[in-house]
Amino acid sequence: MVGPTDDLDLIGRRTAQRACVVRALIDHGGFVGARALHGILESQGARVGLNTVYRTLAALVGAGRADVVRDRGGERLFRHRPFPEHQHYLLCRVCGLSTPVDSEAVESWAERVAEASGFAEVEHTVELTGLCPRCRSHPTY
Amino acid sequence: MVGPTDDLDLIGRRTAQRACVVRALIDHGGFVGARALHGILESQGARVGLNTVYRTLAALVGAGRADVVRDRGGERLFRHRPFPEHQHYLLCRVCGLSTPVDSEAVESWAERVAEASGFAEVEHTVELTGLCPRCRSHPTY
DNA sequence: CTAGTAGTGACAATCATTTCCATCTACGGT
DNA sequence: ACCGTAGATGGAAATGATTGTCACTACTAG
Ligand SMILES: [Mn+2]
Ligand SMILES: [Mn+2]
Ligand SMILES: [Zn+2]
Ligand SMILES: [Zn+2]
């Protein structure tokens, strides 16, 4: 396990704003959009520009310290990734709660398909979404 | 195999515009964006509003006659689906060429993960992208 | 401490998609 | 064939996420 400090080292200069963004992303735990994260920071009294939130998240993704998925509306949702390994998640469509899933089977499947295809530089995106037990009971307040 | 006629029956009234959109989508063969499809129609002299292109594609998706993926920029790409079965594709990031892939392994994997998770209404998106043999050789003209 | 460069943020721009709404038309009665 | 009308069209404006611009700020190497 690593902390926010390690993330900051990977993405350039250490600024108060980036520290806030990384801190908030880690605290949130699940997948969260840039605008929502910016809202959280505002409610904490942290003065960080939305643009900086976007840039910091992009930097984290580039450094392999965050994962990205697209929600139904096409918005990008980010989640901090404490470990360097490639991950896939099952996430709740309502609250963003996410749990890593064992993706051994898909990884090997994707590799097999890629080889048989004649295509080069094959990449894959795999996303599972559903309703978590908690949101499942709630009558969508 | 079914033709454009069958598609039109599924999505409401038969209008010249919808016929054009469905025809163009089928002729294109691979995945294509709404705007690009609209451009194709324009170059054919077909007077169809972009709005109608979007609506027709949405209707096809709703009727299960088209598949959707997101490209890297977040744009939605559509492909006509002649058969009713759920499909996954390997598609070229450059030209949009797509080939259905056998996804038996992922389907069962997704089902297994869903059951073990406690989540309800679990859905999945699986996309493979790469460079097709043709685009692979071309030096990105 | 200072220079120099990377980072910041208010604002404008972009881009795909949706919403509005006035107008049109396909089509099931008659 | 003729209506009436719900459904369809399309131009323009709105939306919403993301990126570009650029003057200003503040890390940090030396
Ligand atoms: Mn994977
Ligand atoms: Mn599937
Ligand atoms: Zn939930
Ligand atoms: Zn290609």
Side-chain angles (χ1 to χ4, degrees):
Chain A
M1 183 58 115
V2 289
T5 304
D6 309 280
D7 297 303
L8 292 175
D9 289 334
L10 289 171
I11 61 179
R13 291 184 180 175
R14 310 176 62 84
T15 68
Q17 289 92 334
R18 288 184 175 178
C20 287
V21 174
V22 172
R23 172 84 271 142
L25 182 64
I26 293 176
D27 286 348
H28 185 274
F31 280 93
V32 61
R35 300 178 70 85
L37 200 57
H38 181 244
I40 291 173
L41 289 168
E42 267 191 341
S43 75
Q44 292 175 354
R47 284 161 285 139
V48 180
L50 175 57
N51 203 327
T52 293
V53 174
Y54 273 109
R55 282 186 290 231
T56 303
L57 289 173
L60 287 172
V61 171
R65 305 310 297 263
D67 286 309
V68 198
V69 299
R70 293 243 183 217
D71 73 7
R72 290 250 247 243
E75 182 177 0
R76 289 221 284 264
L77 305 181
F78 303 84
R79 173 188 156 127
H80 183 250
R81 187 168 78 197
F83 303 106
E85 297 89 36
H86 171 70
Q87 289 268 49
H88 292 286
Y89 301 89
L90 167 55
L91 66 142
C92 175
R93 283 192 289 274
V94 176
C95 70
L97 171 76
S98 57
T99 57
V101 297
D102 176 35
S103 58
E104 189 48 49
V106 261
E107 302 301 339
S108 57
W109 167 82
E111 212 169 308
R112 201 173 341 116
V113 170
E115 266 180 43
S117 68
F119 278 52
E121 297 176 37
V122 176
E123 300 174 2
H124 65 264
T125 67
V126 174
E127 289 167 25
L128 298 179
T129 66
L131 303 180
C132 77
R134 204 157 144 287
C135 291
R136 186 184 184 174
S137 51
H138 266 275
T140 315
Y141 54 92
Chain B
M1 182 59 113
V2 289
T5 304
D6 309 279
D7 296 304
L8 291 174
D9 288 333
L10 289 170
I11 61 179
R13 292 187 180 174
R14 311 175 61 86
T15 69
Q17 291 92 334
R18 288 184 176 178
C20 287
V21 174
V22 172
R23 173 84 271 143
L25 182 64
I26 292 176
D27 286 348
H28 185 274
F31 280 93
V32 61
R35 300 178 71 83
L37 201 58
H38 181 245
I40 291 172
L41 290 167
E42 268 192 342
S43 74
Q44 292 176 353
R47 283 163 285 138
V48 180
L50 175 58
N51 202 331
T52 294
V53 174
Y54 273 109
R55 281 186 290 229
T56 304
L57 291 173
L60 287 173
V61 171
R65 306 309 298 262
D67 285 309
V68 199
V69 299
R70 293 244 181 215
D71 74 5
R72 292 249 247 244
E75 184 178 356
R76 289 220 283 262
L77 305 181
F78 303 83
R79 172 187 158 127
H80 183 248
R81 188 169 78 198
F83 304 106
E85 296 89 35
H86 171 69
Q87 290 267 50
H88 292 285
Y89 302 89
L90 167 55
L91 67 143
C92 176
R93 283 191 290 272
V94 175
C95 69
L97 171 77
S98 56
T99 58
V101 296
D102 174 37
S103 59
E104 190 48 50
V106 260
E107 302 301 338
S108 58
W109 167 82
E111 211 169 309
R112 201 173 341 118
V113 170
E115 266 180 44
S117 69
F119 278 53
E121 296 176 38
V122 175
E123 301 174 1
H124 65 265
T125 66
V126 174
E127 291 167 23
L128 298 178
T129 65
L131 303 178
C132 77
R134 203 156 145 287
C135 291
R136 187 184 181 173
S137 51
H138 266 275
T140 316
Y141 54 92

